[in-house]
Short mmCIF file of all heavy atoms in Angstrom, two decimals:
data_model
loop_
_atom_site.label_atom_id
_atom_site.label_comp_id
_atom_site.label_asym_id
_atom_site.label_seq_id
_atom_site.Cartn_x
_atom_site.Cartn_y
_atom_site.Cartn_z
N THR G 116 0.85 -1.14 0.00
CA THR G 116 0.03 -0.01 0.02
C THR G 116 0.78 1.24 0.00
O THR G 116 2.12 1.20 0.27
CB THR G 116 -0.95 0.05 1.19
OG1 THR G 116 -0.14 0.17 2.50
CG2 THR G 116 -1.75 -1.24 1.37
N ALA G 117 0.28 2.35 -0.27
CA ALA G 117 0.95 3.69 -0.27
C ALA G 117 1.47 3.84 1.12
O ALA G 117 2.69 4.34 1.29
CB ALA G 117 -0.01 4.79 -0.64
N LEU G 118 0.77 3.61 2.16
CA LEU G 118 1.15 3.85 3.46
C LEU G 118 2.32 3.00 3.83
O LEU G 118 3.31 3.52 4.50
CB LEU G 118 0.02 3.54 4.48
CG LEU G 118 0.30 3.74 5.99
CD1 LEU G 118 0.79 5.21 6.24
CD2 LEU G 118 -0.93 3.38 6.88
N ASP G 119 2.25 1.72 3.45
CA ASP G 119 3.50 0.82 3.84
C ASP G 119 4.75 1.31 3.04
O ASP G 119 5.79 1.13 3.62
CB ASP G 119 3.06 -0.63 3.45
CG ASP G 119 2.27 -1.28 4.42
OD1 ASP G 119 2.16 -0.81 5.72
OD2 ASP G 119 1.54 -2.34 4.13
N ASN G 120 4.63 1.79 1.87
CA ASN G 120 5.74 2.30 1.19
C ASN G 120 6.33 3.43 1.87
O ASN G 120 7.51 3.51 2.05
CB ASN G 120 5.35 2.78 -0.24
CG ASN G 120 5.50 1.67 -1.34
OD1 ASN G 120 6.61 1.57 -1.87
ND2 ASN G 120 4.46 0.92 -1.56
N ILE G 121 5.52 4.39 2.44
CA ILE G 121 6.07 5.53 3.16
C ILE G 121 6.72 5.05 4.50
O ILE G 121 7.79 5.53 4.91
CB ILE G 121 4.89 6.45 3.38
CG1 ILE G 121 4.33 7.00 2.15
CG2 ILE G 121 5.43 7.61 4.32
CD1 ILE G 121 3.09 7.79 2.27
N ARG G 122 6.09 3.98 5.13
CA ARG G 122 6.62 3.44 6.34
C ARG G 122 8.03 2.82 6.13
O ARG G 122 8.96 2.98 6.99
CB ARG G 122 5.71 2.39 6.94
CG ARG G 122 4.48 3.02 7.50
CD ARG G 122 3.50 1.93 8.15
NE ARG G 122 3.86 1.70 9.45
CZ ARG G 122 4.56 0.62 9.91
NH1 ARG G 122 4.95 -0.22 8.99
NH2 ARG G 122 4.96 0.44 11.12
N ILE G 123 8.17 2.21 4.96
CA ILE G 123 9.53 1.62 4.62
C ILE G 123 10.53 2.75 4.66
O ILE G 123 11.68 2.60 5.09
CB ILE G 123 9.42 0.93 3.34
CG1 ILE G 123 8.66 -0.41 3.52
CG2 ILE G 123 10.77 0.67 2.74
CD1 ILE G 123 8.39 -1.24 2.30
N GLY G 124 10.18 3.88 3.94
CA GLY G 124 11.16 5.08 3.99
C GLY G 124 11.45 5.56 5.36
O GLY G 124 12.62 5.89 5.59
N ALA G 125 10.53 5.45 6.28
CA ALA G 125 10.87 6.01 7.60
C ALA G 125 11.75 4.99 8.36
O ALA G 125 12.46 5.41 9.32
CB ALA G 125 9.50 6.11 8.33
N HIS G 126 11.82 3.70 8.04
CA HIS G 126 12.58 2.78 8.70
C HIS G 126 14.13 3.16 8.67
O HIS G 126 14.86 2.82 9.57
CB HIS G 126 12.43 1.45 8.18
CG HIS G 126 11.35 0.53 8.90
ND1 HIS G 126 11.62 -0.02 10.19
CD2 HIS G 126 10.01 0.37 8.60
CE1 HIS G 126 10.46 -0.56 10.50
NE2 HIS G 126 9.57 -0.36 9.55
N SER G 127 14.51 3.85 7.61
CA SER G 127 15.95 4.18 7.52
C SER G 127 16.41 5.14 8.67
O SER G 127 17.60 5.42 8.88
CB SER G 127 16.20 4.73 6.15
OG SER G 127 15.56 5.94 5.99
N ARG G 128 15.46 5.74 9.33
CA ARG G 128 15.81 6.67 10.41
C ARG G 128 16.31 5.94 11.69
O ARG G 128 16.85 6.52 12.55
CB ARG G 128 14.65 7.54 10.73
CG ARG G 128 14.19 8.52 9.79
CD ARG G 128 15.15 9.66 9.68
NE ARG G 128 15.25 10.35 10.93
CZ ARG G 128 16.19 11.37 11.17
NH1 ARG G 128 17.01 11.85 10.19
NH2 ARG G 128 16.26 11.91 12.32
N PHE G 129 15.96 4.76 11.76
CA PHE G 129 16.18 4.00 12.98
C PHE G 129 16.99 2.71 12.79
O PHE G 129 16.90 2.03 11.79
CB PHE G 129 14.88 3.61 13.57
CG PHE G 129 13.80 4.64 13.73
CD1 PHE G 129 12.95 4.93 12.77
CD2 PHE G 129 13.84 5.48 14.91
CE1 PHE G 129 12.05 6.04 12.85
CE2 PHE G 129 12.97 6.67 14.93
CZ PHE G 129 12.12 6.85 13.96
N GLY G 130 17.90 2.43 13.83
CA GLY G 130 18.69 1.23 13.66
C GLY G 130 17.79 0.00 14.01
O GLY G 130 17.22 -0.03 15.05
N GLY G 131 17.76 -0.90 13.07
CA GLY G 131 16.96 -2.13 13.39
C GLY G 131 17.63 -3.09 14.18
O GLY G 131 18.90 -3.23 14.20
N ASN G 132 16.90 -3.97 14.90
CA ASN G 132 17.42 -5.09 15.59
C ASN G 132 16.44 -6.31 15.53
O ASN G 132 15.31 -6.20 15.77
CB ASN G 132 17.37 -4.62 17.14
CG ASN G 132 17.90 -5.80 18.04
OD1 ASN G 132 17.28 -6.81 18.20
ND2 ASN G 132 19.10 -5.65 18.58
N PHE G 133 16.93 -7.31 14.85
CA PHE G 133 16.15 -8.37 14.43
C PHE G 133 15.32 -8.96 15.49
O PHE G 133 14.16 -9.25 15.51
CB PHE G 133 16.95 -9.39 13.68
CG PHE G 133 16.18 -10.68 13.30
CD1 PHE G 133 15.42 -10.67 12.18
CD2 PHE G 133 16.20 -11.85 14.11
CE1 PHE G 133 14.57 -11.75 11.77
CE2 PHE G 133 15.40 -12.95 13.67
CZ PHE G 133 14.66 -12.90 12.58
N VAL G 134 16.12 -9.30 16.68
CA VAL G 134 15.37 -9.88 17.84
C VAL G 134 14.34 -9.03 18.39
O VAL G 134 13.26 -9.48 18.68
CB VAL G 134 16.45 -10.28 18.91
CG1 VAL G 134 15.79 -10.91 20.20
CG2 VAL G 134 17.44 -11.36 18.25
N GLY G 135 14.73 -7.76 18.56
CA GLY G 135 13.81 -6.75 19.07
C GLY G 135 12.52 -6.57 18.30
O GLY G 135 11.43 -6.52 18.73
N ASP G 136 12.72 -6.52 16.93
CA ASP G 136 11.65 -6.43 16.00
C ASP G 136 10.79 -7.63 15.99
O ASP G 136 9.55 -7.56 15.96
CB ASP G 136 12.16 -6.14 14.63
CG ASP G 136 12.85 -4.72 14.47
OD1 ASP G 136 12.66 -3.92 15.44
OD2 ASP G 136 13.56 -4.44 13.49
N ALA G 137 11.39 -8.74 16.03
CA ALA G 137 10.67 -10.09 15.95
C ALA G 137 9.75 -10.24 17.23
O ALA G 137 8.69 -10.67 17.16
CB ALA G 137 11.59 -11.25 15.77
N LEU G 138 10.38 -9.91 18.43
CA LEU G 138 9.60 -10.06 19.58
C LEU G 138 8.85 -8.83 20.05
O LEU G 138 8.19 -8.92 21.07
CB LEU G 138 10.64 -10.52 20.70
CG LEU G 138 11.50 -11.75 20.51
CD1 LEU G 138 12.39 -11.92 21.65
CD2 LEU G 138 10.53 -12.93 20.38
N ARG G 139 8.94 -7.79 19.25
CA ARG G 139 8.21 -6.57 19.62
C ARG G 139 8.52 -6.00 20.96
O ARG G 139 7.58 -5.80 21.69
CB ARG G 139 6.74 -6.70 19.21
CG ARG G 139 6.30 -7.02 17.78
CD ARG G 139 4.90 -6.87 17.57
NE ARG G 139 4.34 -5.52 17.90
CZ ARG G 139 4.50 -4.51 17.08
NH1 ARG G 139 5.13 -4.64 15.99
NH2 ARG G 139 3.95 -3.34 17.40
N LEU G 140 9.76 -6.05 21.22
CA LEU G 140 10.13 -5.44 22.53
C LEU G 140 9.86 -4.03 22.69
O LEU G 140 9.56 -3.30 21.67
CB LEU G 140 11.73 -5.71 22.74
CG LEU G 140 12.07 -7.20 22.73
CD1 LEU G 140 13.61 -7.41 23.01
CD2 LEU G 140 11.34 -8.06 23.70
N ARG G 141 10.09 -3.37 23.92
CA ARG G 141 9.61 -2.09 24.17
C ARG G 141 10.21 -1.06 23.21
O ARG G 141 9.54 -0.21 22.65
CB ARG G 141 9.93 -1.77 25.58
CG ARG G 141 9.55 -0.24 25.92
CD ARG G 141 9.83 0.08 27.40
NE ARG G 141 9.15 -0.84 28.28
CZ ARG G 141 9.34 -0.82 29.63
NH1 ARG G 141 10.18 0.03 30.19
NH2 ARG G 141 8.62 -1.67 30.40
N GLY G 142 11.55 -1.14 23.03
CA GLY G 142 12.24 -0.26 22.07
C GLY G 142 11.66 -0.34 20.68
O GLY G 142 11.51 0.62 20.03
N SER G 143 11.41 -1.58 20.20
CA SER G 143 10.85 -1.82 18.82
C SER G 143 9.37 -1.22 18.72
O SER G 143 9.08 -0.48 17.73
CB SER G 143 10.83 -3.26 18.55
OG SER G 143 10.18 -3.49 17.30
N ARG G 144 8.69 -1.34 19.78
CA ARG G 144 7.30 -0.81 19.74
C ARG G 144 7.30 0.75 19.69
O ARG G 144 6.49 1.38 18.95
CB ARG G 144 6.44 -1.29 20.98
CG ARG G 144 6.24 -2.79 20.97
CD ARG G 144 5.08 -3.10 22.02
NE ARG G 144 5.43 -2.76 23.31
CZ ARG G 144 6.05 -3.47 24.16
NH1 ARG G 144 6.47 -4.68 23.86
NH2 ARG G 144 6.36 -3.07 25.37
N HIS G 145 8.22 1.36 20.43
CA HIS G 145 8.38 2.78 20.41
C HIS G 145 8.80 3.24 19.01
O HIS G 145 8.31 4.22 18.45
CB HIS G 145 9.49 3.22 21.49
CG HIS G 145 9.74 4.76 21.46
ND1 HIS G 145 8.81 5.61 21.84
CD2 HIS G 145 10.76 5.40 20.94
CE1 HIS G 145 9.26 6.83 21.81
NE2 HIS G 145 10.51 6.71 21.30
N THR G 146 9.74 2.52 18.45
CA THR G 146 10.16 2.90 17.10
C THR G 146 8.95 2.79 16.08
O THR G 146 8.79 3.74 15.29
CB THR G 146 11.29 1.87 16.60
OG1 THR G 146 12.41 2.10 17.45
CG2 THR G 146 11.70 2.17 15.18
#
């Protein structure tokens, strides 16, 4: 979707962490 395309662009602002993203830890949820 248009919204998901825009969200992908925003992800470059934040350092990803596979474990945190997969488990939706607090830091990942805030991001």
Side-chain angles (χ1 to χ4, degrees):
T116 66
L118 180 60
D119 282 340
N120 269 272
I121 300 169
R122 293 181 80 256
I123 287 171
H126 268 280
S127 65
R128 291 287 303 174
F129 307 93
N132 179 289
F133 177 78
V134 174
D136 291 346
L138 298 178
R139 296 190 60 80
L140 300 180
R141 179 179 300 176
S143 176
R144 293 197 301 271
H145 176 72
T146 295

